Amino acid sequence: MSSSSDNESVDSDEGSLIQSLDGSFIEYTGYEPVDNDIRLEELHLLRVNRPNKTSLLLLTSALAVDVVSEWTEEAWELLGRDVAGNEYLREMKLVPTADFNERDDTGVLNDQNMTSLFRGLTRSDSLREINLRQNGFGLGGIQAMVPFLQASNNLRYLNINRNNNVKSEGFRLLWRALRDSPIETLWCGWCGVENIEIDDEHIPKRLEKLNLGGNNINSDGCRELTKLLLKEDTTLQGLHLRENNIDDEGVEILVNALRNNTSLIRLSLDANEKISKKGTGLMLRLVNDISSIKATLQSNHTLIMFGQGFGDMHDYDAPKNSIRHKLRTALDINRNWMGKQDLAALAAEAGQKKVISTQLNSKERTSLCYLQEVDICNEALYSEINPLHLPEVLAMVGRHHGQSELYVALVSSIAGLFSTVNRKKFLQDRVEHHLSIIQEHTATVETLRTEIAAIEEAEVNREELQNEFESLGFKRRRT
């Protein structure tokens, strides 16, 4: 069973301690509670290394399993030791209910019980997933986990959602403890976190998903989180910040950090009530900047989600000219290219699609300019295009948007088309001009060469005459 989602569902019978599911969970057979007294020796089944038993589910609810609330420190420590001694155990879930939707119940895994549990569970080379959601521990529980987290070389998933007493200090301690961890997914939602401090030297190198929903993170927290987004070799693909205290300023901080980020795919900002139309407009401009063709091509083409109300699947009924609809359209284009291994090819194809569907459609472009508070000027748009490419662009407009849009494009680009014709005539004239100059210079060169040849011939004749005179003078002296 995978814990990659926080929506677990397991069929359980009240009174069972360790459930069996699909043959993969450690069996707890033949146990019948007697006078609410737990027989701890049954937990020793954990010590039996069975390759086909890789998951442990222990319901920690005092309502569902009365006996768990009566466990002693020795019992929790024994459980920790048995988990540590099992070399095949891959997943451990100590949660109040098997059904995540039952959120009113809270487990009994408080700070004291966590301390006892992790006194026995100091390391595990097999555990890859731990789910401790919706219990009652806080800073003390996090402190108890630190030695285990620092010694675990294979832990990929950790869920401590809905432990409201963790607070900011607990999260900071947890973050530092995971510095050298191979952790990929970290759920810390609804943990009472208000202030975040991200140390550049304490960022898990493989972190792909971070859930901080349901806390009280504001724009200062967003500023700290940009350290994850701006990190050169960042691996973060999902950042969940729903139900926080984020406003338009926080959105702007995140958007600025995501302009050149090609790693993050999902950003959840829904249920942040302080985000206004301005903040949503910033999201729209991030994924489809309409200010110029170049800006559109350089927009973010990897993000596919901002959360409910910000262009997700629930926004298909949004008015056509609303920010939500335009945001969904841009995100849909990104979704269509999702999965391409070549990021450069992804950016080129998604960017081209956005240019064709919005920049080359006057109605779409006008609407987007209004929503992004950009001046509308179709002539300026076509001035960005090389006049020599205008015929091809106009054909594309007619092919994708019809005759009416082609007419608008022709009117807007007529100056460019004329300049293309004029430039052609200008270039032809220049060629003729330079050819005539070449002919003149060729004639001049021939004249000069003729004169040079005459001079050289005269020099030869003069030398011959001089030699002859000198010869005659020598003969007279001898006679």
Side-chain angles (χ1 to χ4, degrees):
M1 178 178 177
S2 173
S3 293
S4 58
S5 170
D6 200 22
N7 298 317
E8 301 92 357
S9 178
V10 179
D11 294 329
S12 60
D13 296 324
E14 184 173 339
S16 297
L17 181 63
I18 302 177
Q19 306 294 327
S20 175
L21 181 66
D22 297 332
S24 64
F25 273 72
I26 290 177
E27 296 177 353
Y28 191 61
T29 57
Y31 168 65
E32 293 292 336
V34 179
D35 297 329
N36 291 334
D37 183 22
I38 182 66
R39 293 190 298 175
L40 294 180
E41 62 271 14
E42 294 291 346
L43 282 174
H44 292 182
L45 286 170
L46 285 169
R47 295 179 180 174
V48 180
N49 286 320
R50 300 180 183 179
N52 62 329
K53 306 301 179 183
T54 60
S55 298
L56 166 66
L57 171 63
L58 172 61
L59 300 183
T60 60
S61 171
L63 298 177
V65 187
D66 294 339
V67 291
V68 175
S69 62
E70 303 298 327
W71 277 21
T72 63
E73 293 182 15
E74 178 187 9
W76 285 107
E77 183 175 348
L78 178 60
L79 174 62
R81 289 178 182 174
D82 288 343
V83 170
N86 190 306
E87 62 183 281
Y88 294 110
L89 199 63
R90 299 290 184 268
E91 177 186 17
M92 180 178 73
K93 295 175 63 175
L94 308 183
V95 294
T97 59
D99 185 359
F100 176 71
N101 293 321
E102 298 179 18
R103 297 182 179 179
D104 294 334
D105 197 5
T106 300
V108 297
L109 198 56
N110 53 29
D111 285 346
Q112 181 179 352
N113 293 337
M114 284 281 287
T115 300
S116 299
L117 174 66
F118 283 96
R119 187 185 301 122
L121 179 55
T122 56
R123 72 172 294 124
S124 170
D125 293 327
S126 64
L127 272 179
R128 285 170 170 75
E129 302 182 13
I130 295 180
N131 190 335
L132 303 174
R133 63 164 171 81
Q134 208 170 329
N135 279 283
F137 63 84
L139 176 61
I142 300 296
Q143 290 174 328
M145 275 198 295
V146 168
F148 167 80
L149 295 175
Q150 292 176 335
S152 295
N153 298 322
N154 291 306
L155 187 65
R156 301 291 192 273
Y157 173 96
L158 177 61
N159 186 340
I160 62 167
N161 272 3
R162 301 187 182 279
N163 286 283
N164 299 326
N165 295 318
V166 170
K167 307 298 184 184
S168 302
E169 186 177 354
F171 177 76
R172 284 194 292 270
L173 181 61
L174 176 65
W175 189 259
R176 289 195 295 270
L178 293 171
R179 170 183 176 179
D180 298 318
S181 167
I183 195 75
E184 296 174 355
T185 301
L186 179 60
W187 296 129
C188 296
W190 296 268
C191 286
V193 179
E194 294 186 357
N195 302 312
I196 293 179
E197 294 179 9
I198 302 293
D199 186 346
D200 293 338
E201 300 298 323
H202 294 84
I203 297 179
K205 296 178 176 60
R206 300 183 187 178
L207 187 64
E208 296 180 358
K209 299 175 184 177
L210 176 61
N211 185 352
L212 290 170
N215 289 298
N216 196 28
I217 297 169
N218 56 19
S219 56
D220 290 334
C222 291
R223 192 171 288 106
E224 288 294 309
L225 289 170
T226 60
K227 297 176 182 178
L228 303 178
L229 304 174
L230 294 172
K231 192 170 180 284
E232 184 176 354
D233 56 347
T234 180
T235 56
L236 193 65
Q237 298 178 17
L239 179 59
H240 303 275
L241 299 172
R242 70 184 314 269
E243 293 185 36
N244 271 282
N245 193 29
I246 298 173
D247 56 11
D248 293 340
E249 180 185 1
V251 172
E252 184 173 11
I253 291 169
L254 294 172
V255 162
N256 289 337
L258 286 169
R259 294 197 185 281
N260 297 314
N261 180 290
T262 57
S263 171
L264 198 72
I265 297 174
R266 293 176 174 83
L267 174 63
S268 299
L269 292 172
D270 46 312
N272 281 280
E273 298 179 357
K274 292 184 178 181
I275 297 178
S276 69
K277 181 179 178 181
K278 177 183 177 181
T280 311
L282 291 170
M283 299 180 206
L284 174 59
R285 192 159 188 169
L286 172 66
V287 293
N288 190 7
D289 189 339
I290 202 67
S291 61
S292 69
I293 291 178
K294 182 178 179 180
T296 300
L297 293 172
Q298 293 179 343
S299 298
N300 184 297
H301 305 305
T302 51
L303 268 174
I304 66 169
M305 186 185 82
F306 282 108
Q308 186 172 349
F310 298 126
D312 73 343
M313 66 180 66
H314 301 285
D315 288 325
Y316 281 95
D317 59 345
K320 189 173 182 180
N321 288 325
S322 67
I323 292 182
R324 290 169 55 195
H325 179 84
K326 304 301 182 187
L327 186 55
R328 191 209 75 200
T329 300
L331 293 174
D332 279 346
I333 293 175
N334 288 0
R335 293 184 189 109
N336 288 338
W337 302 112
M338 182 182 176
K340 279 189 171 292
Q341 298 298 321
D342 187 345
L343 292 178
L346 180 152
E349 293 173 359
Q352 183 183 46
K353 177 66 176 177
K354 291 175 185 178
V355 169
I356 293 173
S357 62
T358 58
Q359 290 283 11
L360 300 184
N361 184 320
S362 64
K363 294 179 181 179
E364 283 295 314
R365 186 169 182 274
T366 298
S367 178
L368 285 168
C369 285
Y370 172 75
L371 293 173
Q372 296 182 27
E373 299 181 354
V374 174
D375 291 337
I376 303 172
C377 182
N378 288 328
E379 290 78 7
L381 167 69
Y382 285 96
S383 68
E384 295 183 61
I385 302 172
N386 188 324
L388 297 176
H389 295 159
L390 275 176
E392 180 183 353
V393 172
L394 291 172
M396 189 181 299
V397 171
R399 188 165 60 252
H400 287 277
H401 304 303
Q403 296 300 312
S404 61
E405 280 298 322
L406 176 59
Y407 174 77
V408 174
L410 281 168
V411 172
S412 302
S413 63
I414 196 70
L417 287 172
F418 279 138
S419 69
T420 302
V421 176
N422 293 338
R423 181 167 178 77
K424 180 180 179 180
K425 182 64 170 61
F426 169 75
L427 292 175
Q428 289 174 338
D429 291 343
R430 294 292 291 172
V431 169
E432 294 297 327
H433 171 70
H434 285 291
L435 285 174
S436 65
I437 292 176
I438 290 173
Q439 291 174 352
E440 291 176 5
H441 284 295
T442 300
T444 302
V445 168
E446 290 301 322
T447 301
L448 294 174
R449 284 177 176 173
T450 301
E451 185 177 350
I452 291 171
I455 292 173
E456 290 176 345
E457 183 179 358
E459 289 176 345
V460 171
N461 292 336
R462 185 173 64 251
E463 186 177 351
E464 289 177 352
L465 288 173
Q466 184 177 356
N467 290 337
E468 185 176 349
F469 289 149
E470 289 177 353
S471 176
L472 289 174
F474 176 74
K475 289 179 179 180
R476 288 176 181 174
R477 284 196 299 272
R478 289 185 63 181
T479 59

